[in-house]
Amino acid sequence: MSAFIQKHSVYVTALLCVVTFSACKDGDFYEIRDEYGNVADSRTLSAGISTVYQSGVTAYDTPAGWVTGNLNTRFYRGDALYDNPRVSGDDPTQGGKGPLYAGSSCGSCHSNAGRTYPTLYSEGGTGSGGFSSHLIYITKKNGGFFRNYGRVLHDQAITGVEPEGKLSVSYTEETYAFPDGEKYSLITPSYSVSAWYADSIAPQDLIVDVRIPLRHVGMGQMMALDPIELEELARRSNYPEYGISGRLNYITERGRQYIGVSGNKAQHADLTIELGFSSDLGVTNDRYPLEVAEGQSQMLGYSHYGIQISTQDMEHVDFYLHALGVPARRNVDDPVVQQGEKAFYRARCDLCHVPTLHTRQDAPALINGTRLPWLANQTIHPYSDFLLHDMGPDLDSHYTSGLAQGCEWRTTPLWGIGLQQRVNQHTYFLHDGRARNLKEAIMWHGGEGAVSRELFARMSRDDRDALIKFLESL
Ligand code: HEC
Ligand code: HEC
């Protein structure tokens, strides 16, 4: 049941367009067809020509329709490098894992290009059997890094090496009621780290910021966002009557300033392929040639293997992420979904979860410069402004990233959110997975999100339920 793209007789022009990298306009050369072979309903087109009509377990992990021929080969090469577990040792295609790492493959944490089931609420922290899908960021109270540890606490290690520490979490649960009496409860996490590899760090000196993985929906479109539109959004995002004012995160890398878009604090300008291989898997590469454990005393007896993944292979992974299709919206004619969509606007969710954006005219480029014209000039529906918002003291992790303060988070794009349950068999949401379902996720909104949360809380139960149905249609 995959979508297919019908090529028109202007094929030669389309090819020329690809070769010269001039901008291809949405719909000029392609017509998107839905799963029944009908011309797609424009309300379902989440990401223009990259929309895919998939709603099963592969909904996040399907190539966009323009991925054909040689591109298809590259997509599946990237997919395999992404999913195949790495092993320790110097096999150039699968080796290099560790000595310290957080997962065995990208896909171990982003299974089916989504959010692998987190082992926090269900298992209380770093999972049994040496696996967890979260990342643990640590800093000193004054923002500095701990010598011996760095930015990420690596809770996994190859045989013979000590993990840097282990995370545990406990929750306190409190029950509340909506004004109309419907009950809900929220669980507040409390994190601690034990089994420190080197110096034991006193809890009062430590900031721990735990993140569950993000869904890989719309990675290519995110890289093709138009900086002018984003800057315009940041200027416009000032609604004193709702207490909302978003701002962009800017980061300086290799001497240049970029707008940050990816990560929960918009702390990255790219898809972090090289960083992911280095820091998450322990696989050294040209950009990060040293093991993350370099400098630790336990590295003295460790044999060094040199560069463990080629830049070309990382580019295949980069291509794979850019070329993933974005699932089409579902049930757009369902009256309950339509009722919920109205409620979404009434609660002013749209002021941050901005429904419609556009990709820029020049095609985004992969790590080594290959341009992807299919991602340019598209109307997209990410339901995000990619801006930072102060979400209040309850969501404050006290961890800063670039301009982002502890309480500031990037508006999470909501496209594809309704399929998370089917793709990853769970409904944990928010940066650290503390929300166990969509209602709880909304009720955690504080700070700039507080007015919206209250507008939601005061709706009739019928409207609240409809709003959730609308989110499930995204
Ligand atoms: C141990 C689990 C883990 C592994 C392994 C892992 N990731 Fe992630 N990934 C995460 C978490 C957690 C986040 C959210 C991080 C944040 O907020 O900073 C994330 C975020 C991302 C993002 C940002 C997505 C967005 O919507 O902004 C990208 C891209 C990404 N990872 C790619 C990769 C790639 C490529 C690999 C393999 C080289 C990889 N990840 C391996 C856990 C993991
Ligand atoms: C002030 C901006 C703002 C407003 C208004 C807002 N949100 Fe959010 N939303 C955010 C931010 C920022 C996050 C990420 C918070 C985090 O992870 O800690 C988020 C996260 C979410 C998530 C969790 C997504 C995930 O995959 O983890 C959902 C669901 C959500 N919002 C729905 C809504 C709904 C529905 C409304 C309206 C009732 C709304 N939001 C209003 C900014 C906003």
Side-chain angles (χ1 to χ4, degrees):
M1 295 235 299
S2 77
F4 63 93
I5 286 173
Q6 212 179 20
K7 292 199 175 64
H8 285 235
S9 50
V10 285
Y11 185 63
V12 178
T13 335
L15 250 179
L16 255 179
C17 167
V18 168
V19 172
T20 61
F21 304 133
S22 72
C24 299
K25 278 229 179 63
D26 199 349
D28 272 8
F29 311 112
Y30 299 115
E31 193 162 68
I32 295 283
R33 301 259 161 173
D34 66 17
E35 66 268 52
Y36 308 109
N38 299 322
V39 175
D41 178 333
S42 64
R43 293 171 299 169
T44 65
L45 285 177
S46 305
I49 62 168
S50 293
T51 308
V52 291
Y53 288 80
Q54 288 283 341
S55 54
V57 74
T58 58
Y60 303 160
D61 208 0
T62 300
W66 49 264
V67 178
T68 55
N70 179 39
L71 294 179
N72 217 28
T73 315
R74 295 194 58 190
F75 181 90
Y76 287 106
R77 172 91 185 116
D79 191 2
L81 286 161
Y82 188 90
D83 277 336
N84 289 348
R86 314 260 339 167
V87 293
S88 55
D90 64 353
D91 171 347
T93 56
Q94 284 174 20
K97 181 174 82 173
L100 294 175
Y101 60 98
S104 293
S105 66
C106 311
S108 66
C109 294
H110 301 280
S111 69
N112 301 322
R115 281 178 151 166
T116 303
Y117 192 99
T119 50
L120 295 164
Y121 184 63
S122 58
E123 290 175 45
T126 303
S128 52
F131 177 70
S132 62
S133 66
H134 45 261
L135 288 175
I136 309 156
Y137 296 115
I138 52 168
T139 53
K140 294 184 183 170
K141 278 271 151 77
N142 66 11
F145 294 138
F146 296 105
R147 257 192 84 216
N148 294 321
Y149 294 101
R151 181 183 60 97
V152 170
L153 183 85
H154 296 93
D155 61 354
Q156 321 289 333
I158 62 170
T159 318
V161 176
E162 294 260 331
E164 291 176 333
K166 292 284 175 188
L167 178 82
S168 16
V169 51
S170 59
Y171 292 93
T172 46
E173 178 155 11
E174 270 186 84
T175 301
Y176 306 89
F178 290 105
D180 66 5
E182 185 199 346
K183 293 225 163 39
Y184 66 96
S185 56
L186 299 179
I187 51 162
T188 306
S190 162
Y191 299 111
S192 57
V193 177
S194 59
W196 292 99
Y197 138 80
D199 318 329
S200 230
I201 288 159
Q204 62 271 20
D205 297 334
L206 176 68
I207 288 171
V208 185
D209 178 338
V210 177
R211 310 276 173 86
I212 65 163
L214 282 156
R215 294 176 291 273
H216 282 331
V217 176
M219 292 295 95
Q221 289 68 29
M222 186 165 78
M223 290 296 107
L225 287 168
D226 183 351
I228 296 168
E229 188 173 40
L230 291 178
E231 274 163 351
E232 175 57 30
L233 263 183
R235 263 193 303 278
R236 233 189 320 132
S237 177
N238 183 21
Y239 308 95
E241 66 276 37
Y242 298 108
I244 295 176
S245 69
R247 59 170 182 159
L248 287 164
N249 199 355
Y250 287 95
I251 49 230
T252 307
E253 253 173 44
R254 302 191 262 198
R256 270 188 64 189
Q257 200 187 47
Y258 301 90
I259 291 178
V261 285
S262 79
N264 276 293
K265 287 191 182 286
Q267 75 273 30
H268 300 293
D270 63 14
L271 292 183
T272 67
I273 311 292
E274 300 110 315
L275 182 65
F277 273 102
S278 156
S279 177
D280 298 354
L281 309 177
V283 177
T284 55
N285 53 67
D286 277 334
R287 191 160 167 198
Y288 298 98
L290 296 182
E291 297 288 3
V292 286
E294 208 67 52
Q296 295 188 354
S297 55
Q298 58 178 347
M299 288 295 287
L300 292 175
Y302 174 76
S303 26
H304 291 251
Y305 292 109
I307 299 301
Q308 293 160 331
I309 187 167
S310 68
T311 297
Q312 198 189 1
D313 271 348
M314 289 190 295
E315 223 223 2
H316 292 315
V317 175
D318 202 22
F319 177 73
Y320 159 71
L321 286 183
H322 277 78
L324 286 168
V326 176
R329 273 197 62 201
R330 300 152 314 286
N331 308 322
V332 290
D333 287 322
D334 181 333
V336 180
V337 168
Q338 292 178 349
Q339 176 190 346
E341 181 165 17
K342 292 201 187 92
F344 181 84
Y345 288 93
R346 264 207 323 281
R348 301 322 313 254
C349 313
D350 62 306
L351 293 182
C352 301
H353 295 283
V354 172
T356 304
L357 293 177
H358 306 86
T359 58
R360 59 177 187 265
Q361 287 183 5
D362 60 314
L366 302 180
I367 295 172
N368 72 359
T370 309
R371 297 211 168 256
L372 301 175
W374 305 274
L375 297 172
N377 269 316
Q378 303 292 306
T379 298
I380 57 171
H381 302 291
Y383 290 87
S384 176
D385 54 7
F386 296 89
L387 300 180
L388 298 172
H389 295 277
D390 173 350
M391 297 302 282
D394 290 344
L395 291 179
D396 189 349
S397 69
H398 306 283
Y399 180 92
T400 57
S401 238
L403 296 185
Q405 297 300 306
C407 61
E408 285 181 302
W409 300 96
R410 174 196 70 165
T411 308
T412 314
L414 300 179
W415 47 10
I417 194 169
L419 293 163
Q420 184 179 303
Q421 160 104 68
R422 217 167 291 165
V423 171
N424 294 124
Q425 293 80 49
H426 70 87
T427 55
Y428 292 108
F429 296 108
L430 297 179
H431 65 271
D432 61 359
R434 68 175 68 191
R436 294 164 296 180
N437 55 51
L438 291 169
K439 244 181 216 175
E440 289 182 17
I442 299 169
M443 295 315 291
W444 271 113
H445 282 55
E448 297 179 37
V451 171
S452 215
R453 177 196 69 215
E454 286 312 303
L455 288 168
F456 173 75
R458 291 195 185 133
M459 287 175 179
S460 66
R461 179 167 185 170
D462 197 47
D463 276 345
R464 282 198 302 272
D465 290 345
L467 196 153
I468 300 300
K469 282 273 176 289
F470 166 69
L471 294 178
E472 287 169 353
S473 80
L474 299 179

